[in-house]
Amino acid sequence: HVQVLCSTATLAWGVNLPAHTVIIKGTQIYSPDRGAWVELSPLDVVQMMGRAGRPQYDSDGEGIILTKHAELQFYLSLMNQQLPVESQFVKQLPDHLNAEVEMGAVQTIEQAADWLSYTYWAVRAGRDPDRYGVPATDDDRGGPHRSSSSPVDAATLRSHRLDVAHSAALVNL
């Protein structure tokens, strides 16, 4: 019976052990891609905290996060509300688009934009246009940010998909 298990963040992601208490000592990990220390993603924090108080093993559980004061509000909101899962698809879009071209499913930029419309990335771009770089139109430029309640019209989303598909196609040249 293991009383205490200490692990790195990498090992913690792969550990499938229930616990009564999970303590995350520090919320930053080194990102080789960025060459800097970055905050753990919300998904990683929730995954690690999910080890605490599993119903089949314990009646309750505790999660403790030790972080910088500047990050406190972020982690409080993370634990008290659900955050949307954001698409990471665009990071690998050139490879996926290249595969679709190779298979013959996509032959034009217009077909690539149509293909993109069926992805989760397109769903999130329609729901959170600022995060996904959808440009504001003249109708919704009242201030520095568009109103979250105003939907983005289909023509603007299609134009953005065309731009993204074109950029991904240029990477493959």
Side-chain angles (χ1 to χ4, degrees):
H1 185 69
V2 176
Q3 293 293 320
V4 176
L5 172 68
C6 298
S7 73
T8 64
T10 305
L11 179 60
W13 292 316
V15 170
N16 191 19
L17 294 174
H20 177 76
T21 303
V22 171
I23 301 172
I24 299 176
K25 182 183 175 281
T27 57
Q28 291 192 332
I29 57 172
Y30 186 75
S31 169
D33 295 341
R34 296 184 186 165
W37 291 89
V38 297
E39 289 295 315
L40 286 168
S41 77
L43 184 62
D44 292 333
V45 172
V46 170
Q47 175 71 16
M48 287 188 260
M49 288 294 188
R51 305 280 177 226
R54 295 235 177 130
Q56 63 268 38
Y57 301 107
D58 211 341
S59 59
D60 63 342
E62 298 178 348
I64 301 169
I65 300 174
L66 304 175
T67 189
K68 294 179 181 176
H69 185 72
E71 300 300 328
L72 178 63
Q73 192 57 47
F74 170 76
Y75 288 105
L76 286 173
S77 66
L78 174 64
M79 294 295 117
N80 292 321
Q81 65 185 5
Q82 288 187 339
L83 299 176
V85 175
E86 299 300 347
S87 173
Q88 304 298 309
F89 184 62
V90 79
K91 294 176 184 176
Q92 300 297 322
L93 181 57
D95 293 334
H96 292 287
L97 183 57
N98 194 37
E100 294 297 319
V101 169
E102 182 63 30
M103 290 187 313
V106 170
Q107 297 176 358
T108 67
I109 291 296
E110 290 76 17
Q111 288 175 339
D114 290 341
W115 173 75
L116 269 175
S117 71
Y118 292 100
T119 65
Y120 183 65
W121 173 88
V123 171
R124 291 300 303 145
R127 291 194 180 146
D128 194 351
D130 289 333
R131 178 183 297 268
Y132 289 84
V134 178
T137 63
D138 292 336
D139 294 341
D140 58 13
R141 285 193 190 183
H145 300 286
R146 82 180 92 228
S147 167
S148 61
S149 62
S150 64
V152 180
D153 65 272
T156 301
L157 287 172
R158 177 156 176 77
S159 176
H160 185 60
R161 287 194 314 269
L162 282 165
D163 290 344
V164 169
H166 184 259
S167 296
L170 289 176
V171 170
N172 285 327
L173 291 179

